[in-house]
Structures are given as structure tokens and as C-alpha cells.
Amino acid sequence: MRIAVITSGGDSPGMNAAIRAVVREAANRDIEIVGFFEGYRGLVEQQYQKLDSAAVSEIIDRGGTILRTSRYEEFYKEQVREKAVKNLNSLNIDSLVVIGGEGSLHAAHLLTLSGLPVIGVPASIDNDIYGTDFSIGFDTAVNTVVAVLSKIRDTASAHERVFVVEVMGRRFGAIALHAGLAGGADYICLPDTPVETPYILEDIINVIEARYRAGKRHTIIIIPEGAGSAYDVATGLRAGTEQEIRVLILGHMQRGGSPSAWDRLLASLLGSTAVELLAENKTNLMVGWKNGQLVEVPLAETFTLQPALNPKLVQLAKRLSI
Ligand code: F6P
């Protein structure tokens, strides 16, 4: 048996650990693994390399992805996908593991319609994939943001300033919620409470003023990019409070760095299970982690159904702001 593996979409810390697990699990089963470069583009342009156990040594702790990645919109065209399947057939490759986010899992589902068995492994710092409690990279990104919040608190406090910190999360506020709670942010803006709504701005201003009256020397507001721009929030706040406001946009540094222990563990479990499922002739599934257990989720669900923020944590965020 020969299996191809790609990493696709935005990179996330732990993708390398997932590749390693795919390769090593396959080696245990005498299955060959071929890594294709730059995600779906590599399948079409035939950029590949055979991966044996030695090829994935010393990568478990590395961020990024040794297979590189891309956002390859061309792949939504049927004739482009057909070309990829033809290329894989010509190399006697039976099936594919896709390590990536929601868009990549969507493309993976479309590939199965062309007859190629595919298993998806959820990897995205945004944690916005339906069917799994965690996607690979989320935990590391949250830890990165938490570390930044501590540093920002120092300077915010020294200058008695308000900081609006914008984190990643186009469609989902999971990084803001988890990092905001763990990092002790004073106000967490979530996408279901758009900040353009004057009431919410008013709410933030009330928190800033109440904290100032209580003798607190800083206020840290965290906002996911999907909920609006930190600059817009700052402009709105300046109109309603005398406090000094500063903006910090964390951007792509959230995607980098050595993966946390949890991301390495999750990636190892999911990568190895993806190979196991293909060996059992299963296809069109994402392997996820739900309620402390491995789960098999139909690929179609991963991009048609919406994940939800943990309601307990959302409640907690509201109760602990101030
Ligand atoms: O990987 C998801 C994500 O981190 C989003 O939160 C963000 O909007 C996006 O990637 C930006 O990615 P890029 O600039 O690589 O297209």
C-alpha cells in the first residue's frame, strides 16, 4: 500500500508531528508514504518525496511544516482535481492523508468524489473545525497569546493604558476566548457580539471606567479578527473615554513556534489513526478528538456544520471581565 500525505492551508504548530506520526505508523505496517509539497498544488504539479522513518527524525518539536503548504484555490475546479487523482494513480498511490483546516477538508471531501480514498486530520490554530474539540496548533497559539498578554500587562500597567489586542480567528473567537481567559484579559470581544454595536463599545467603556475608579492601572481587551478591527475598537473607545488607548495586532506570529506538548500528542494520535483508518479501507472521514476520545467524523460535516464555543467558557468570560 502507498499513501500520500500533504499539509494544506494555514500552517499550524504540530503539523510536523502529524507528518511524523503518519510516516512512523505506516512504517509499522509496511506501508509506503509519499509526501507532496505545498498542499494540493504538489499533487497537481507532482512535487513529492518518499518519506521514511529517518526523514521525519527531529521534527516533532518544529513549527511550520517540512512539506510546506499553500492555499490553492485552483483545486476547487474539477479538472484540476482530476489531474491530481491521475498523477496519484500513475505513482500507484492508493489514498491520501490531508492535514489542514476547514477549507482543506472541504477539498479532501471533493477528492473522494473522484474516487480517491482520503482521511482528514484537523490542523488550524483557529480551532474552528466542526467535529473535534481541538485542532492541531490551537493549544500552542493560545499559549503564545497568553505569553504576550503577560508582557503587555507589564507595560500597560506601567503607563496606565488600555490595550486592544487583536488575535487570529476569521470565523471563530476560540483563540480570543481561551487565551483571554487564561491570560486574564479584562474584556473579551466575541464574534457573536460585534463591536460595531454601540452598546458593546459602551460596555467596554464601562469596564475601562469601572476599573480606573477601582484603582486598576490597565485594561486589556482582546478581540478576534473576525469580530472587527482593533483599530476600529480603539477609535470607538477614544470617543468615549479619556484613557490612553494602544493597539496590538498579533498576526502571523501566532502560527509559529515549537508546538506545545498537547499539540504534539494530539498530532501523533490523529496522524497515526489516519493511517490506521486508510489501512482499514475507510475513507471520507476526519479523525478528531471529542470528549477525550478519538472520533471519526464524515468530511462533509466538517465544513457544512459550525463548531460552537464552549458555552461554559463564554459564561466565564462574561463573569470574569471587570
Ligand atoms: O490559519 C487560519 C488563519 O490563521 C486565520 O485566523 C487568518 O485569518 C488566516 O489564517 C490568515 O492566513 P493567511 O494570511 O496565511 O492567508
Side-chain angles (χ1 to χ4, degrees), residues 102-230:
E102 181 250 358
S104 306
L105 298 175
H106 188 171
H109 170 69
L110 295 177
L111 254 185
T112 65
L113 303 182
S114 309
L116 184 77
V118 187
I119 295 291
V121 171
S124 164
I125 65 160
D126 292 351
N127 210 33
D128 59 349
I129 303 167
Y130 177 86
T132 185
D133 288 341
F134 296 100
S135 53
I136 297 165
F138 171 64
D139 184 60
T140 307
V142 166
N143 279 294
T144 298
V145 174
V146 167
V148 169
L149 292 182
S150 288
K151 291 180 200 277
I152 283 301
R153 187 176 295 103
D154 291 344
T155 175
S157 215
H159 284 267
E160 301 200 29
R161 281 174 173 159
V162 174
F163 266 82
V164 185
V165 182
E166 184 182 306
V167 296
M168 276 190 168
R170 263 176 301 177
R171 321 181 296 144
F172 206 47
I175 296 180
L177 178 62
H178 289 239
L181 273 168
D186 306 302
Y187 194 97
I188 304 173
C189 302
L190 296 172
D192 63 341
T193 57
V195 284
E196 303 85 55
T197 314
Y199 166 75
I200 302 295
L201 270 179
E202 208 179 294
D203 209 16
I204 304 175
I205 291 165
N206 287 342
V207 168
I208 293 171
E209 294 299 328
R211 289 177 57 79
Y212 182 68
R213 283 195 302 274
K216 308 262 174 77
R217 297 188 178 279
H218 66 264
T219 301
I220 296 178
I221 298 149
I222 187 164
I223 178 169
E225 57 186 343
S229 141

Side-chain angles (χ1 to χ4, degrees), residues 82-120:
E82 296 294 338
K83 187 166 182 214
V85 173
K86 227 171 113 195
N87 288 344
L88 291 175
N89 286 340
S90 72
L91 292 166
N92 293 324
I93 290 173
D94 317 86
S95 51
L96 171 70
V97 175
V98 173
I99 303 165
E102 181 250 358
S104 306
L105 298 175
H106 188 171
H109 170 69
L110 295 177
L111 254 185
T112 65
L113 303 182
S114 309
L116 184 77
V118 187
I119 295 291

Side-chain angles (χ1 to χ4, degrees), residues 4-308:
V5 60
I6 58 170
T7 49
S8 166
D11 65 319
S12 68
M15 278 183 158
N16 280 327
I19 296 168
R20 174 180 177 272
V22 165
V23 171
R24 298 253 165 113
E25 181 59 48
N28 278 309
R29 295 167 180 266
D30 288 328
I31 296 172
E32 272 183 13
I33 295 290
V34 183
F36 283 76
F37 294 99
E38 296 178 24
Y40 289 107
R41 179 184 289 131
L43 299 184
V44 176
E45 296 178 1
Q46 302 233 52
Q47 302 175 53
Y48 61 89
Q49 184 191 320
K50 276 197 209 163
L51 297 174
D52 59 13
S53 263
V56 293
S57 286
E58 300 177 29
I59 64 168
I60 195 166
D61 57 349
R62 276 169 54 190
T65 155
I66 58 162
L67 291 176
R68 304 194 298 278
T69 184
S70 66
R71 296 192 191 279
Y72 185 61
E73 298 301 325
E74 286 290 287
F75 212 70
Y76 283 104
K77 295 184 189 153
E78 198 179 345
Q79 71 270 30
V80 177
R81 292 198 301 277
E82 296 294 338
K83 187 166 182 214
V85 173
K86 227 171 113 195
N87 288 344
L88 291 175
N89 286 340
S90 72
L91 292 166
N92 293 324
I93 290 173
D94 317 86
S95 51
L96 171 70
V97 175
V98 173
I99 303 165
E102 181 250 358
S104 306
L105 298 175
H106 188 171
H109 170 69
L110 295 177
L111 254 185
T112 65
L113 303 182
S114 309
L116 184 77
V118 187
I119 295 291
V121 171
S124 164
I125 65 160
D126 292 351
N127 210 33
D128 59 349
I129 303 167
Y130 177 86
T132 185
D133 288 341
F134 296 100
S135 53
I136 297 165
F138 171 64
D139 184 60
T140 307
V142 166
N143 279 294
T144 298
V145 174
V146 167
V148 169
L149 292 182
S150 288
K151 291 180 200 277
I152 283 301
R153 187 176 295 103
D154 291 344
T155 175
S157 215
H159 284 267
E160 301 200 29
R161 281 174 173 159
V162 174
F163 266 82
V164 185
V165 182
E166 184 182 306
V167 296
M168 276 190 168
R170 263 176 301 177
R171 321 181 296 144
F172 206 47
I175 296 180
L177 178 62
H178 289 239
L181 273 168
D186 306 302
Y187 194 97
I188 304 173
C189 302
L190 296 172
D192 63 341
T193 57
V195 284
E196 303 85 55
T197 314
Y199 166 75
I200 302 295
L201 270 179
E202 208 179 294
D203 209 16
I204 304 175
I205 291 165
N206 287 342
V207 168
I208 293 171
E209 294 299 328
R211 289 177 57 79
Y212 182 68
R213 283 195 302 274
K216 308 262 174 77
R217 297 188 178 279
H218 66 264
T219 301
I220 296 178
I221 298 149
I222 187 164
I223 178 169
E225 57 186 343
S229 141
Y231 284 108
D232 292 344
V233 178
T235 305
L237 296 181
R238 283 188 186 111
T241 171
E242 295 294 299
Q243 304 304 314
E244 244 192 296
I245 318 281
R246 290 288 186 272
V247 167
L248 176 68
I249 297 183
L250 294 186
H252 290 78
M253 57 94 78
Q254 294 163 93
R255 293 225 298 246
S258 178
S260 67
W262 168 244
D263 275 329
R264 296 180 200 189
L265 199 59
L266 182 68
S268 301
L269 261 172
L270 300 186
S272 129
T273 308
V275 172
E276 189 181 316
L277 296 184
L278 287 173
E280 288 168 3
N281 291 321
K282 293 193 176 169
T283 177
N284 210 356
L285 298 168
M286 175 190 82
V287 53
W289 182 256
K290 193 101 196 146
N291 301 324
Q293 290 196 26
L294 286 165
V295 287
E296 297 165 20
V297 185
L299 277 176
E301 288 184 8
T302 65
F303 57 90
T304 50
L305 300 177
Q306 294 305 315

